[in-house]
Structure formats: C-alpha cells, structure tokens
Amino acid sequence: MRERDSIIFDLDGTLWNASETVVKAFNDSIQEIGFDINITSKAVRDFSGMKMDDIFAQHFSFIPKDKLQKFEKIYAKKENEYLKNYGGELFPNVKETLERLTENYRLFIVSNCMKGYIENFIGFFSFNDLFEDFECFGNDGLPKDKNITLIVERNNLQNPVYVGDTIWDKESSEKAGVDFIYATYGFGKIENPKVQIQNFEDLLSMKL
C-alpha cells in the first residue's frame, strides 16, 4: 500500500467554527435589503457544507428573486469584512496539531465556501506556511468532489485522505476516490463511518 502523503481538510466544522461571525453577516445583509428576519447560528451550522447557491435557494426563499442577487452581493461583502475583523474559533488543538502534521504530510483545504473565505481563515490565524493549496466552490463553481480531484491532480498527490464532518464531505470524498475521515466533533452526523476522530489531535495518534 502506498504511504499516505497528504491530508485535505474541510473547513467549517472541521478546522473552525465561524458560525457566530457568519450569522451576523447574514442577518445584517437581510436587514439591509429590508427584511426583519433573523436566522440563527444553529441554522448556519446545519447548512455548513452545502454549496452557496443551494444555501441561498433553500434557506433564503423568503427573499424575492428580484432581490436575491443584491442580497448575495451584500452578503459576500459583509462576510469578507466580518471574517477579516472577527474571524472564527478554532477547534481545540488545531494549530498545534497542524504544525506537527506538516512534518510528515502535505496539507490542503477544500470547501464549498465563497471566494475569499479560505484566505480569511488562513490570514486570521497566520497559517500561510501550513497549507500548500486550497480550492472552493466560490472560486470555480465546481462541487466539492471535483475540487478535491483538482487539488489532487494539480499537486500530484499520491495517497491523500480527506477530513470532514458532514455526509456531503463523505460523499464528495467517495466520488473523488479519496479516503475519508469523519470528524465527530463537527456540525454533521454520519452513520457508521469507517474511520473517525473524536478530537482533532487524534490525527496524530492514528495510522493514516
């Protein structure tokens, strides 16, 4: 069996929780287009992992179609601004674990987030030296499985594993032909996963 050479991470629910910052951006954007409706941070955690166009279509159906494009533009600007200022909360021991993992593995991120979201995460915590590359739906409009494949191909990865917390992460990994590790502490629920971690630092003690 080929030696594991790389780890690709999901972001929300796997590396950090930015739901409090994101919900503020959503609610301020909703008010700016004239609606007195608030969503909750739990709702944000529940739809984390979905493509952004699906999130807008399924969870913001109260916004008329003629205002949806304006809402999306306002939200994109606010999300970027708020993440730069407020960031999110890393899960326990993420920084220390990532630093140790780089000694043996190449690290990457693939998320269904908007353009600039991963850059804000990396910049907020000064993680530029930890991740070699990343990709997201906001950059290229591709689903997660295609972006996992893109990262694998353009970085010539030989035996990667994907770490995520939702059923969408698992399905995307399988479509991309990449092994999957379920982060049980995250936002999603997966029944009978083959491999799982209870805490992020468990990656250090398991045979990847």
Side-chain angles (χ1 to χ4, degrees):
M1 183 177 176
R2 290 175 300 175
E3 185 177 353
R4 186 79 65 194
D5 66 331
S6 50
I7 308 173
I8 308 171
F9 293 98
D10 170 53
L11 184 43
D12 291 308
T14 301
L15 296 176
W16 77 342
N17 177 4
S19 58
E20 293 300 330
T21 301
V22 170
V23 78
K24 177 174 173 56
F26 271 126
N27 287 334
D28 287 357
S29 301
I30 291 168
Q31 289 186 6
E32 190 163 321
I33 61 167
F35 289 87
D36 189 20
I37 297 173
N38 283 333
I39 65 167
T40 65
S41 54
K42 181 184 182 303
V44 170
R45 291 191 295 272
D46 286 346
F47 60 60
S48 287
M50 295 176 64
K51 291 185 296 182
M52 289 306 301
D53 54 354
D54 290 337
I55 291 172
F56 287 131
Q58 295 180 31
H59 296 273
F60 295 87
S61 57
F62 58 88
I63 298 175
K65 287 185 178 180
D66 62 330
K67 287 191 173 183
L68 188 57
Q69 190 173 19
K70 180 181 179 183
F71 170 72
E72 290 178 11
K73 287 182 178 179
I74 292 171
Y75 173 73
K77 183 178 179 181
K78 288 188 182 298
E79 181 194 82
N80 184 57
E81 175 189 338
Y82 291 7
L83 285 171
K84 274 187 171 67
N85 291 332
Y86 309 117
E89 183 179 359
L90 287 177
F91 286 107
N93 300 310
V94 164
K95 181 178 185 293
E96 300 85 351
T97 301
L98 288 172
E99 289 172 347
R100 289 184 59 187
L101 287 171
T102 57
E103 297 170 8
N104 298 301
Y105 306 99
R106 301 169 66 191
L107 306 185
F108 305 86
I109 297 174
V110 171
S111 170
N112 272 338
C113 59
M114 299 184 75
K115 184 179 179 67
Y117 191 92
I118 300 175
E119 291 92 328
N120 279 320
F121 165 76
I122 290 174
F124 193 80
F125 295 106
S126 301
F127 281 169
N128 304 72
D129 295 334
L130 297 180
F131 297 99
E132 288 189 35
D133 195 5
F134 56 82
E135 198 52 85
C136 71
F137 175 79
N139 282 346
D140 57 21
L142 295 176
K144 183 169 281 188
D145 62 293
K146 299 296 185 185
N147 279 326
I148 292 173
T149 299
L150 193 61
I151 285 290
V152 170
E153 290 178 349
R154 76 184 181 204
N155 292 282
N156 193 30
L157 306 185
Q158 300 303 305
N159 190 17
V161 64
Y162 189 83
V163 182
D165 68 306
T166 70
I167 189 63
W168 303 301
D169 293 331
K170 179 177 181 292
E171 291 171 349
S172 296
S173 297
E174 290 171 348
K175 286 182 182 178
V178 171
D179 293 338
F180 177 72
I181 296 175
Y182 169 45
T184 64
Y185 56 82
F187 302 154
K189 296 296 179 188
I190 298 176
E191 298 296 328
N192 303 314
K194 288 183 180 179
V195 184
Q196 64 183 31
I197 53 173
Q198 305 294 328
N199 306 285
F200 191 76
E201 65 268 25
D202 292 346
L203 291 169
L204 295 171
S205 58
M206 68 190 304
K207 182 175 175 54
L208 295 178

